[in-house]
Amino acid sequence: MSTSNNSTPQLVAMGKVGRPYGLTGAVHVYPYSQDAQTLLKAKTLLIGTFTFAVTRSRPHGDSIVSQLVGVDSPEAAAKLTNKEVFVDRTLFAVLPEGEYYWLDLIGLTCTNGDRVFGEITEIFESGAHPILRVKQASGADELIPFVDAIVRSVSLTEQRVDVDWEGLE
């Protein structure tokens, strides 16, 4: 499996293990994102300090039910309850032009032309659209809607998101 510049995988927290499912040792995994395709397609999951091969996964309500190699009873599955589930970043699907994984925007500089607002520290859903939380040099947070009408450009290579936003002075 190839990774970025080194051989250490970039692990991304994707969800949390819930209660066991059924009598075969399957587990409920509750995704952190509404789009759980990466979790559904992952053939390997890191849970706690152990790596598990996944034999099958399927949606089940607001969770994903996954069968893991070596976890073959409800008692074994229960030992994983409340542990975080990580997936290697290299398993993420390539997105179409103009679409971005939120985690790739964290740490980028947010600007309005030559004016620097600060660093993007978080992205969250507000109901209507995603919001960028930008930490200013003063320590204050600027909340900027992540919508086409405001975001002029995103450049992962330049590590910058340029917005049409006046913000607070």
Side-chain angles (χ1 to χ4, degrees):
M1 178 181 315
S2 66
T3 57
S4 54
N5 295 335
N6 57 42
S7 60
T8 305
Q10 180 188 1
L11 298 173
V12 178
M14 300 291 293
K16 191 171 254 190
V17 176
R19 68 191 185 285
Y21 177 85
L23 301 175
T24 63
V27 295
H28 284 274
V29 176
Y30 291 91
Y32 291 150
S33 169
Q34 290 179 352
D35 181 5
Q37 289 305 306
T38 302
L39 268 175
L40 280 169
K41 293 178 181 177
K43 298 298 179 202
T44 306
L45 299 176
L46 178 72
I47 301 173
T49 57
F50 298 99
T51 301
F52 294 93
V54 180
T55 58
R56 68 180 179 268
S57 291
R58 65 177 177 82
H60 183 77
D62 60 350
S63 75
I64 294 171
V65 172
S66 295
Q67 186 71 54
L68 310 173
V69 172
V71 181
D72 53 9
S73 70
E75 294 77 19
K79 292 178 183 177
L80 301 175
T81 300
N82 293 323
K83 295 200 183 305
E84 209 156 30
V85 177
F86 294 87
V87 174
D88 189 334
R89 175 64 172 87
T90 60
L91 299 177
F92 286 29
V94 176
L95 294 175
E97 182 72 27
E99 291 186 26
Y100 307 94
Y101 286 109
W102 287 4
L103 71 104
D104 293 334
L105 302 178
I106 304 295
L108 300 188
T109 300
C110 185
T111 62
N112 180 347
D114 292 333
R115 179 178 173 211
V116 174
F117 281 113
E119 179 183 326
I120 299 170
T121 59
E122 179 185 13
I123 303 171
F124 59 92
E125 277 292 341
S126 69
H129 47 73
I131 301 288
L132 301 174
R133 181 181 304 275
V134 179
K135 180 68 74 180
Q136 298 178 341
S138 67
D141 287 339
E142 182 79 23
L143 300 179
I144 302 173
F146 191 69
V147 295
D148 289 341
I150 293 172
V151 177
R152 288 192 280 239
S153 66
V154 174
S155 175
L156 298 179
T157 55
E158 294 176 14
Q159 298 285 292
R160 165 184 153 141
V161 174
D162 190 55
V163 296
D164 183 10
W165 187 258
E166 290 303 314
L168 302 172
E169 290 295 332

